[in-house]
Amino acid sequence: MYVTSPVQFHNGATRFDLAAAADEFSGTASHVHTFGAGKTVFHEGDNAEFIYEILEGVVRSSKMLVDGRRQVLSFGYPGDMIGLSHDEFYHSDCDAVAPVKVRVFRKNAFSGAMESDPAFCAHLLRTAAAEVNSMQEHFLMLGRKSAMEKIASFLITLLDRQSAEREDANSFALPMKRADIADFLGLTIETVSRTLTVLRKKGIIELPTAQKVHVLKPLALRDLAESDL
Amino acid sequence: MYVTSPVQFHNGATRFDLAAAADEFSGTASHVHTFGAGKTVFHEGDNAEFIYEILEGVVRSSKMLVDGRRQVLSFGYPGDMIGLSHDEFYHSDCDAVAPVKVRVFRKNAFSGAMESDPAFCAHLLRTAAAEVNSMQEHFLMLGRKSAMEKIASFLITLLDRQSAEREDANSFALPMKRADIADFLGLTIETVSRTLTVLRKKGIIELPTAQKVHVLKPLALRDLAESDL
DNA sequence: CGAAGTATTGACTACCTTCAAAAATTGTGG
DNA sequence: CCACAATTTTTGAAGGTAGTCAATACTTCG
């Protein structure tokens, strides 16, 4: 799963040492900041002064329509970058879903590093291209998948993403609320809940709590992610 | 509207002289190629050897699910760049919707220019960020808008994009087929057709031919793009 | 002119939403 | 720590939007 707005960089393996790069080329030391659950990192329209690297926790990036309908664009996990903009402003809201620790970079420092280090810039560009590619996958999700396929795909994405970092390869946290999942997948909270219930009753997953998932039949779940049946 | 896969750059005003940049830094002259309507520029999975700048015509970038469901990612218009990838392969199909003339760059030439010219690279990055932002707008479309809002938004986007280049500011071409529009908006061809008919019967648009739109009530159309009513 | 492809229209269906209420969880003050 | 309020999640019933299946009209092209 890709993550945040407008560009994020979470390719674990190829990850760049951003702190070092930014510091080296700007002389401006970055610093660390924390946001409690539910706190806002930035709003759409705010001056895009900072770029953030998520160190711990989970953020939600979203946009709203005038009438209040919301689309969650992505969930940001440790390693993801958020807040990069093509102009002076942020183009989405960003809030902490779970308590978040971020490294904060001044946009200037970032730009400086970019201008003076082609390798850094090239890295960012590759990462942006990868982000675009991930977003395109999500287009398929939003445009062409059924509720069941969406939920199954979403769970598989979280499973794969978090499995590397855990002891139990088939359990993971679901830190966001049902409303967040619904707004990410283009569904309602009721449909999210009902679909999870179906998966539970089929014995494919367990929900020890509303925010914890244990996958009993990963293969069945993967099948559902591709075709509803 | 943003355009193509994986990254495109169509910000008319800020557009870079790509041909000059690539030539200058690589010494490799670019050349021009044409594709007839319906011809494939590249397939998903192909080796991403070339990057294309659209000079004339319209392309369609799309991805398929295994069962044949398709999502059109974007339509590419003159000025757009297509084929930039974060790795060695293209990640979508790209076909000519209308006869297309493209300028072809070797990927190497492009990379060379990027590495040696920070300004060029920074430009590409800004453009990629803008692309990401545009894609996020499309998330709202796919995830949260009704059929009427999708169609109205789509028509408004085409209207605004093409109005600068035409004499009649309220007419424009709809070169893609109904199936392309459907797969772009996450609808069926029947719903696209029916929705256009509703707009026609309301006197908001005229369809002199299936591929030509004349907007009679632009303001009403803009209203429908934001709320169905 | 006929054939193939594309677009429109119609009837019916289904999936998801909406509205509503109950159950479960979380948070807070006494 | 408990009681109560607020929030979140689940479940139920009914309805609507868009999808599916099918037939007809229109266009394009040989």
Side-chain angles (χ1 to χ4, degrees), chain A residues 2-45:
Chain A
Y2 55 88
V3 175
T4 44
S5 151
V7 171
Q8 60 92 17
F9 316 106
H10 65 88
N11 345 17
T14 64
R15 223 165 92 216
F16 211 77
D17 187 343
L18 292 158
D23 287 353
E24 178 180 350
F25 293 103
S26 67
T28 305
S30 55
H31 67 282
V32 170
H33 194 84
T34 57
F35 293 91
K39 297 298 179 193
T40 297
V41 180
F42 54 77
H43 280 294
E44 180 168 4

mmCIF file of all heavy atoms in Angstrom, chain A residues 2-45:
data_model
loop_
_atom_site.group_PDB
_atom_site.id
_atom_site.type_symbol
_atom_site.label_atom_id
_atom_site.label_comp_id
_atom_site.label_asym_id
_atom_site.label_seq_id
_atom_site.Cartn_x
_atom_site.Cartn_y
_atom_site.Cartn_z
ATOM 1 N N TYR A 2 0.485 2.178 -0.781
ATOM 2 C CA TYR A 2 1.194 3.450 -0.797
ATOM 3 C C TYR A 2 0.627 4.224 0.349
ATOM 4 O O TYR A 2 -0.263 3.806 1.049
ATOM 5 C CB TYR A 2 0.882 4.206 -2.089
ATOM 6 C CG TYR A 2 -0.557 4.335 -2.196
ATOM 7 C CD1 TYR A 2 -1.180 5.422 -1.603
ATOM 8 C CD2 TYR A 2 -1.313 3.322 -2.753
ATOM 9 C CE1 TYR A 2 -2.531 5.495 -1.617
ATOM 10 C CE2 TYR A 2 -2.654 3.410 -2.740
ATOM 11 C CZ TYR A 2 -3.250 4.493 -2.185
ATOM 12 O OH TYR A 2 -4.587 4.589 -2.185
ATOM 13 N N VAL A 3 1.130 5.397 0.504
ATOM 14 C CA VAL A 3 0.640 6.038 1.679
ATOM 15 C C VAL A 3 0.205 7.477 1.676
ATOM 16 O O VAL A 3 -0.945 7.738 1.939
ATOM 17 C CB VAL A 3 1.614 5.793 2.812
ATOM 18 C CG1 VAL A 3 1.206 6.540 4.028
ATOM 19 C CG2 VAL A 3 1.605 4.329 3.111
ATOM 20 N N THR A 4 1.000 8.411 1.511
ATOM 21 C CA THR A 4 0.447 9.730 1.867
ATOM 22 C C THR A 4 0.530 10.832 0.839
ATOM 23 O O THR A 4 0.976 10.623 -0.265
ATOM 24 C CB THR A 4 1.052 10.255 3.155
ATOM 25 O OG1 THR A 4 2.427 10.021 3.080
ATOM 26 C CG2 THR A 4 0.468 9.537 4.314
ATOM 27 N N SER A 5 0.134 11.916 1.273
ATOM 28 C CA SER A 5 -0.153 13.026 0.381
ATOM 29 C C SER A 5 0.872 14.115 0.510
ATOM 30 O O SER A 5 1.222 14.471 1.609
ATOM 31 C CB SER A 5 -1.490 13.605 0.785
ATOM 32 O OG SER A 5 -1.539 14.974 0.476
ATOM 33 N N PRO A 6 1.288 14.714 -0.527
ATOM 34 C CA PRO A 6 1.072 14.283 -1.903
ATOM 35 C C PRO A 6 2.060 13.209 -2.338
ATOM 36 O O PRO A 6 1.821 12.566 -3.353
ATOM 37 C CB PRO A 6 1.319 15.536 -2.737
ATOM 38 C CG PRO A 6 1.442 16.660 -1.775
ATOM 39 C CD PRO A 6 1.910 16.040 -0.492
ATOM 40 N N VAL A 7 3.150 13.033 -1.660
ATOM 41 C CA VAL A 7 4.074 11.987 -2.077
ATOM 42 C C VAL A 7 4.606 11.306 -0.831
ATOM 43 O O VAL A 7 4.894 11.950 0.164
ATOM 44 C CB VAL A 7 5.275 12.570 -2.858
ATOM 45 C CG1 VAL A 7 6.316 11.492 -3.088
ATOM 46 C CG2 VAL A 7 4.814 13.092 -4.197
ATOM 47 N N GLN A 8 4.741 10.036 -0.887
ATOM 48 C CA GLN A 8 5.322 9.328 0.236
ATOM 49 C C GLN A 8 6.365 8.352 -0.279
ATOM 50 O O GLN A 8 6.366 7.975 -1.435
ATOM 51 C CB GLN A 8 4.238 8.586 0.993
ATOM 52 C CG GLN A 8 3.516 7.557 0.154
ATOM 53 C CD GLN A 8 4.147 6.227 0.270
ATOM 54 O OE1 GLN A 8 4.913 5.976 1.177
ATOM 55 N NE2 GLN A 8 3.852 5.348 -0.670
ATOM 56 N N PHE A 9 7.219 7.973 0.614
ATOM 57 C CA PHE A 9 8.330 7.128 0.195
ATOM 58 C C PHE A 9 8.489 6.035 1.204
ATOM 59 O O PHE A 9 9.108 6.225 2.235
ATOM 60 C CB PHE A 9 9.616 7.928 0.155
ATOM 61 C CG PHE A 9 9.436 9.266 -0.467
ATOM 62 C CD1 PHE A 9 9.431 10.392 0.313
ATOM 63 C CD2 PHE A 9 9.252 9.388 -1.827
ATOM 64 C CE1 PHE A 9 9.266 11.638 -0.258
ATOM 65 C CE2 PHE A 9 9.078 10.634 -2.398
ATOM 66 C CZ PHE A 9 9.087 11.767 -1.621
ATOM 67 N N HIS A 10 7.950 4.886 0.931
ATOM 68 C CA HIS A 10 8.001 3.862 1.958
ATOM 69 C C HIS A 10 8.677 2.579 1.481
ATOM 70 O O HIS A 10 8.547 1.545 2.096
ATOM 71 C CB HIS A 10 6.610 3.539 2.460
ATOM 72 C CG HIS A 10 5.755 2.919 1.405
ATOM 73 N ND1 HIS A 10 5.727 1.586 1.185
ATOM 74 C CD2 HIS A 10 4.941 3.467 0.512
ATOM 75 C CE1 HIS A 10 4.903 1.322 0.193
ATOM 76 N NE2 HIS A 10 4.410 2.443 -0.242
ATOM 77 N N ASN A 11 9.389 2.687 0.384
ATOM 78 C CA ASN A 11 10.042 1.487 -0.110
ATOM 79 C C ASN A 11 11.153 1.109 0.848
ATOM 80 O O ASN A 11 12.288 1.540 0.703
ATOM 81 C CB ASN A 11 10.684 1.679 -1.472
ATOM 82 C CG ASN A 11 10.196 2.926 -2.151
ATOM 83 O OD1 ASN A 11 9.628 3.811 -1.500
ATOM 84 N ND2 ASN A 11 10.454 3.024 -3.413
ATOM 85 N N GLY A 12 10.820 0.310 1.797
ATOM 86 C CA GLY A 12 11.745 -0.041 2.862
ATOM 87 C C GLY A 12 13.161 -0.285 2.375
ATOM 88 O O GLY A 12 14.114 0.347 2.855
ATOM 89 N N ALA A 13 13.306 -1.180 1.437
ATOM 90 C CA ALA A 13 14.628 -1.620 1.032
ATOM 91 C C ALA A 13 15.475 -0.467 0.485
ATOM 92 O O ALA A 13 16.628 -0.294 0.853
ATOM 93 C CB ALA A 13 14.512 -2.710 -0.016
ATOM 94 N N THR A 14 14.874 0.313 -0.369
ATOM 95 C CA THR A 14 15.635 1.351 -1.048
ATOM 96 C C THR A 14 15.619 2.670 -0.294
ATOM 97 O O THR A 14 15.976 3.689 -0.837
ATOM 98 C CB THR A 14 15.063 1.601 -2.452
ATOM 99 O OG1 THR A 14 13.736 2.117 -2.293
ATOM 100 C CG2 THR A 14 15.014 0.325 -3.265
ATOM 101 N N ARG A 15 15.177 2.602 0.921
ATOM 102 C CA ARG A 15 14.985 3.881 1.620
ATOM 103 C C ARG A 15 16.275 4.666 1.789
ATOM 104 O O ARG A 15 17.328 4.112 2.047
ATOM 105 C CB ARG A 15 14.315 3.649 2.962
ATOM 106 C CG ARG A 15 13.232 4.679 3.195
ATOM 107 C CD ARG A 15 12.338 4.259 4.316
ATOM 108 N NE ARG A 15 12.774 4.783 5.579
ATOM 109 C CZ ARG A 15 12.685 4.128 6.717
ATOM 110 N NH1 ARG A 15 12.226 2.899 6.727
ATOM 111 N NH2 ARG A 15 13.041 4.700 7.824
ATOM 112 N N PHE A 16 16.125 5.934 1.641
ATOM 113 C CA PHE A 16 17.228 6.870 1.687
ATOM 114 C C PHE A 16 17.377 7.345 3.116
ATOM 115 O O PHE A 16 16.407 7.392 3.868
ATOM 116 C CB PHE A 16 16.850 8.054 0.806
ATOM 117 C CG PHE A 16 18.038 8.707 0.167
ATOM 118 C CD1 PHE A 16 18.649 8.129 -0.925
ATOM 119 C CD2 PHE A 16 18.509 9.916 0.648
ATOM 120 C CE1 PHE A 16 19.722 8.746 -1.530
ATOM 121 C CE2 PHE A 16 19.589 10.528 0.041
ATOM 122 C CZ PHE A 16 20.197 9.950 -1.052
ATOM 123 N N ASP A 17 18.593 7.702 3.499
ATOM 124 C CA ASP A 17 18.725 8.290 4.826
ATOM 125 C C ASP A 17 18.423 9.778 4.721
ATOM 126 O O ASP A 17 19.296 10.610 4.508
ATOM 127 C CB ASP A 17 20.125 8.067 5.385
ATOM 128 C CG ASP A 17 20.200 8.530 6.835
ATOM 129 O OD1 ASP A 17 19.314 9.280 7.267
ATOM 130 O OD2 ASP A 17 21.153 8.137 7.520
ATOM 131 N N LEU A 18 17.152 10.073 4.861
ATOM 132 C CA LEU A 18 16.685 11.437 4.621
ATOM 133 C C LEU A 18 17.277 12.416 5.619
ATOM 134 O O LEU A 18 17.664 13.522 5.262
ATOM 135 C CB LEU A 18 15.168 11.467 4.702
ATOM 136 C CG LEU A 18 14.494 10.711 3.571
ATOM 137 C CD1 LEU A 18 13.095 10.325 3.972
ATOM 138 C CD2 LEU A 18 14.507 11.547 2.324
ATOM 139 N N ALA A 19 17.313 12.005 6.857
ATOM 140 C CA ALA A 19 17.829 12.901 7.888
ATOM 141 C C ALA A 19 19.257 13.296 7.545
ATOM 142 O O ALA A 19 19.614 14.474 7.531
ATOM 143 C CB ALA A 19 17.759 12.225 9.244
ATOM 144 N N ALA A 20 20.055 12.303 7.220
ATOM 145 C CA ALA A 20 21.439 12.570 6.884
ATOM 146 C C ALA A 20 21.537 13.468 5.655
ATOM 147 O O ALA A 20 22.267 14.460 5.637
ATOM 148 C CB ALA A 20 22.174 11.254 6.632
ATOM 149 N N ALA A 21 20.751 13.122 4.641
ATOM 150 C CA ALA A 21 20.806 13.887 3.399
ATOM 151 C C ALA A 21 20.421 15.344 3.626
ATOM 152 O O ALA A 21 21.108 16.264 3.191
ATOM 153 C CB ALA A 21 19.885 13.254 2.355
ATOM 154 N N ALA A 22 19.314 15.536 4.319
ATOM 155 C CA ALA A 22 18.833 16.889 4.541
ATOM 156 C C ALA A 22 19.823 17.676 5.395
ATOM 157 O O ALA A 22 20.110 18.847 5.120
ATOM 158 C CB ALA A 22 17.464 16.863 5.209
ATOM 159 N N ASP A 23 20.341 17.012 6.390
ATOM 160 C CA ASP A 23 21.289 17.703 7.253
ATOM 161 C C ASP A 23 22.557 18.052 6.498
ATOM 162 O O ASP A 23 23.055 19.161 6.560
ATOM 163 C CB ASP A 23 21.644 16.829 8.465
ATOM 164 C CG ASP A 23 20.496 16.770 9.451
ATOM 165 O OD1 ASP A 23 19.518 17.502 9.244
ATOM 166 O OD2 ASP A 23 20.583 16.001 10.420
ATOM 167 N N GLU A 24 23.035 17.065 5.776
ATOM 168 C CA GLU A 24 24.293 17.256 5.075
ATOM 169 C C GLU A 24 24.237 18.437 4.125
ATOM 170 O O GLU A 24 25.147 19.243 4.048
ATOM 171 C CB GLU A 24 24.626 15.975 4.290
ATOM 172 C CG GLU A 24 25.894 16.096 3.476
ATOM 173 C CD GLU A 24 26.185 14.810 2.713
ATOM 174 O OE1 GLU A 24 25.500 13.790 2.991
ATOM 175 O OE2 GLU A 24 27.084 14.821 1.862
ATOM 176 N N PHE A 25 23.101 18.532 3.423
ATOM 177 C CA PHE A 25 23.051 19.521 2.362
ATOM 178 C C PHE A 25 22.475 20.865 2.780
ATOM 179 O O PHE A 25 22.554 21.832 2.080
ATOM 180 C CB PHE A 25 22.290 18.961 1.159
ATOM 181 C CG PHE A 25 23.041 17.843 0.537
ATOM 182 C CD1 PHE A 25 22.673 16.528 0.753
ATOM 183 C CD2 PHE A 25 24.157 18.108 -0.231
ATOM 184 C CE1 PHE A 25 23.399 15.496 0.186
ATOM 185 C CE2 PHE A 25 24.886 17.086 -0.796
ATOM 186 C CZ PHE A 25 24.512 15.780 -0.594
ATOM 187 N N SER A 26 21.894 20.897 3.919
ATOM 188 C CA SER A 26 21.308 22.165 4.323
ATOM 189 C C SER A 26 21.972 22.716 5.575
ATOM 190 O O SER A 26 21.914 23.895 5.846
ATOM 191 C CB SER A 26 19.824 21.972 4.638
ATOM 192 O OG SER A 26 19.692 21.168 5.782
ATOM 193 N N GLY A 27 22.593 21.851 6.321
ATOM 194 C CA GLY A 27 23.160 22.304 7.578
ATOM 195 C C GLY A 27 22.089 22.531 8.622
ATOM 196 O O GLY A 27 22.368 22.894 9.753
ATOM 197 N N THR A 28 20.833 22.296 8.250
ATOM 198 C CA THR A 28 19.738 22.498 9.185
ATOM 199 C C THR A 28 19.379 21.161 9.824
ATOM 200 O O THR A 28 18.923 20.253 9.142
ATOM 201 C CB THR A 28 18.490 23.025 8.454
ATOM 202 O OG1 THR A 28 18.847 24.196 7.743
ATOM 203 C CG2 THR A 28 17.381 23.324 9.449
ATOM 204 N N ALA A 29 19.565 21.046 11.094
ATOM 205 C CA ALA A 29 19.230 19.800 11.756
ATOM 206 C C ALA A 29 17.722 19.620 11.796
ATOM 207 O O ALA A 29 16.982 20.567 12.021
ATOM 208 C CB ALA A 29 19.787 19.788 13.167
ATOM 209 N N SER A 30 17.277 18.397 11.527
ATOM 210 C CA SER A 30 15.858 18.106 11.641
ATOM 211 C C SER A 30 15.568 17.809 13.103
ATOM 212 O O SER A 30 16.477 17.542 13.883
ATOM 213 C CB SER A 30 15.526 16.892 10.789
ATOM 214 O OG SER A 30 16.364 15.823 11.183
ATOM 215 N N HIS A 31 14.292 17.832 13.496
ATOM 216 C CA HIS A 31 13.977 17.479 14.878
ATOM 217 C C HIS A 31 12.740 16.598 14.908
ATOM 218 O O HIS A 31 12.021 16.471 13.911
ATOM 219 C CB HIS A 31 13.793 18.724 15.738
ATOM 220 C CG HIS A 31 12.590 19.518 15.358
ATOM 221 N ND1 HIS A 31 12.557 20.354 14.269
ATOM 222 C CD2 HIS A 31 11.363 19.607 15.937
ATOM 223 C CE1 HIS A 31 11.374 20.916 14.186
ATOM 224 N NE2 HIS A 31 10.622 20.483 15.170
ATOM 225 N N VAL A 32 12.511 15.998 16.046
ATOM 226 C CA VAL A 32 11.434 15.025 16.179
ATOM 227 C C VAL A 32 10.263 15.637 16.947
ATOM 228 O O VAL A 32 10.462 16.418 17.868
ATOM 229 C CB VAL A 32 11.953 13.762 16.905
ATOM 230 C CG1 VAL A 32 10.806 12.834 17.274
ATOM 231 C CG2 VAL A 32 12.969 13.045 16.033
ATOM 232 N N HIS A 33 9.068 15.277 16.513
ATOM 233 C CA HIS A 33 7.869 15.819 17.147
ATOM 234 C C HIS A 33 6.855 14.694 17.315
ATOM 235 O O HIS A 33 6.889 13.719 16.572
ATOM 236 C CB HIS A 33 7.298 16.921 16.263
ATOM 237 C CG HIS A 33 6.273 17.771 16.938
ATOM 238 N ND1 HIS A 33 6.613 18.850 17.730
ATOM 239 C CD2 HIS A 33 4.930 17.711 16.936
ATOM 240 C CE1 HIS A 33 5.507 19.409 18.197
ATOM 241 N NE2 HIS A 33 4.473 18.740 17.721
ATOM 242 N N THR A 34 5.955 14.825 18.284
ATOM 243 C CA THR A 34 4.927 13.791 18.443
ATOM 244 C C THR A 34 3.531 14.389 18.355
ATOM 245 O O THR A 34 3.309 15.547 18.700
ATOM 246 C CB THR A 34 5.062 13.061 19.802
ATOM 247 O OG1 THR A 34 4.984 14.033 20.849
ATOM 248 C CG2 THR A 34 6.375 12.329 19.899
ATOM 249 N N PHE A 35 2.600 13.583 17.886
ATOM 250 C CA PHE A 35 1.188 13.968 17.796
ATOM 251 C C PHE A 35 0.359 12.878 18.460
ATOM 252 O O PHE A 35 0.519 11.694 18.136
ATOM 253 C CB PHE A 35 0.749 14.114 16.344
ATOM 254 C CG PHE A 35 1.386 15.256 15.611
ATOM 255 C CD1 PHE A 35 2.563 15.067 14.912
ATOM 256 C CD2 PHE A 35 0.804 16.522 15.627
ATOM 257 C CE1 PHE A 35 3.158 16.121 14.228
ATOM 258 C CE2 PHE A 35 1.389 17.575 14.947
ATOM 259 C CZ PHE A 35 2.572 17.379 14.245
ATOM 260 N N GLY A 36 -0.527 13.269 19.359
ATOM 261 C CA GLY A 36 -1.412 12.296 19.979
ATOM 262 C C GLY A 36 -2.456 11.796 18.990
ATOM 263 O O GLY A 36 -2.674 12.408 17.940
ATOM 264 N N ALA A 37 -3.083 10.674 19.318
ATOM 265 C CA ALA A 37 -4.118 10.114 18.448
ATOM 266 C C ALA A 37 -5.207 11.153 18.203
ATOM 267 O O ALA A 37 -5.689 11.806 19.132
ATOM 268 C CB ALA A 37 -4.716 8.867 19.085
ATOM 269 N N GLY A 38 -5.585 11.316 16.948
ATOM 270 C CA GLY A 38 -6.635 12.265 16.615
ATOM 271 C C GLY A 38 -6.131 13.668 16.334
ATOM 272 O O GLY A 38 -6.881 14.499 15.798
ATOM 273 N N LYS A 39 -4.876 13.956 16.664
ATOM 274 C CA LYS A 39 -4.333 15.296 16.433
ATOM 275 C C LYS A 39 -4.016 15.505 14.965
ATOM 276 O O LYS A 39 -3.686 14.572 14.240
ATOM 277 C CB LYS A 39 -3.062 15.517 17.274
ATOM 278 C CG LYS A 39 -3.285 15.469 18.781
ATOM 279 C CD LYS A 39 -4.226 16.565 19.232
ATOM 280 C CE LYS A 39 -4.461 16.503 20.741
ATOM 281 N NZ LYS A 39 -5.606 17.350 21.162
ATOM 282 N N THR A 40 -4.103 16.752 14.550
ATOM 283 C CA THR A 40 -3.859 17.088 13.155
ATOM 284 C C THR A 40 -2.405 17.446 12.919
ATOM 285 O O THR A 40 -1.846 18.267 13.658
ATOM 286 C CB THR A 40 -4.745 18.273 12.739
ATOM 287 O OG1 THR A 40 -6.110 17.877 12.849
ATOM 288 C CG2 THR A 40 -4.453 18.709 11.318
ATOM 289 N N VAL A 41 -1.807 16.843 11.902
ATOM 290 C CA VAL A 41 -0.439 17.187 11.527
ATOM 291 C C VAL A 41 -0.457 18.436 10.650
ATOM 292 O O VAL A 41 0.281 19.376 10.865
ATOM 293 C CB VAL A 41 0.256 16.017 10.811
ATOM 294 C CG1 VAL A 41 1.678 16.392 10.423
ATOM 295 C CG2 VAL A 41 0.263 14.776 11.698
ATOM 296 N N PHE A 42 -1.331 18.420 9.641
ATOM 297 C CA PHE A 42 -1.560 19.651 8.865
ATOM 298 C C PHE A 42 -2.911 19.579 8.169
ATOM 299 O O PHE A 42 -3.506 18.495 8.040
ATOM 300 C CB PHE A 42 -0.442 19.919 7.848
ATOM 301 C CG PHE A 42 -0.154 18.772 6.914
ATOM 302 C CD1 PHE A 42 -0.985 18.490 5.841
ATOM 303 C CD2 PHE A 42 0.973 17.978 7.099
ATOM 304 C CE1 PHE A 42 -0.712 17.444 4.977
ATOM 305 C CE2 PHE A 42 1.261 16.914 6.241
ATOM 306 C CZ PHE A 42 0.414 16.662 5.191
ATOM 307 N N HIS A 43 -3.395 20.746 7.743
ATOM 308 C CA HIS A 43 -4.678 20.833 7.057
ATOM 309 C C HIS A 43 -4.464 21.149 5.580
ATOM 310 O O HIS A 43 -3.485 21.798 5.213
ATOM 311 C CB HIS A 43 -5.536 21.943 7.656
ATOM 312 C CG HIS A 43 -6.232 21.549 8.918
ATOM 313 N ND1 HIS A 43 -7.213 20.583 8.950
ATOM 314 C CD2 HIS A 43 -6.109 21.982 10.193
ATOM 315 C CE1 HIS A 43 -7.653 20.449 10.185
ATOM 316 N NE2 HIS A 43 -6.993 21.285 10.970
ATOM 317 N N GLU A 44 -5.407 20.744 4.757
ATOM 318 C CA GLU A 44 -5.405 21.137 3.358
ATOM 319 C C GLU A 44 -5.442 22.669 3.298
ATOM 320 O O GLU A 44 -6.221 23.304 4.017
ATOM 321 C CB GLU A 44 -6.656 20.555 2.661
ATOM 322 C CG GLU A 44 -6.733 20.909 1.195
ATOM 323 C CD GLU A 44 -7.799 20.089 0.465
ATOM 324 O OE1 GLU A 44 -8.517 19.320 1.135
ATOM 325 O OE2 GLU A 44 -7.896 20.229 -0.766
ATOM 326 N N GLY A 45 -4.588 23.229 2.485
ATOM 327 C CA GLY A 45 -4.575 24.678 2.344
ATOM 328 C C GLY A 45 -3.542 25.367 3.220
ATOM 329 O O GLY A 45 -3.166 26.511 2.950
#
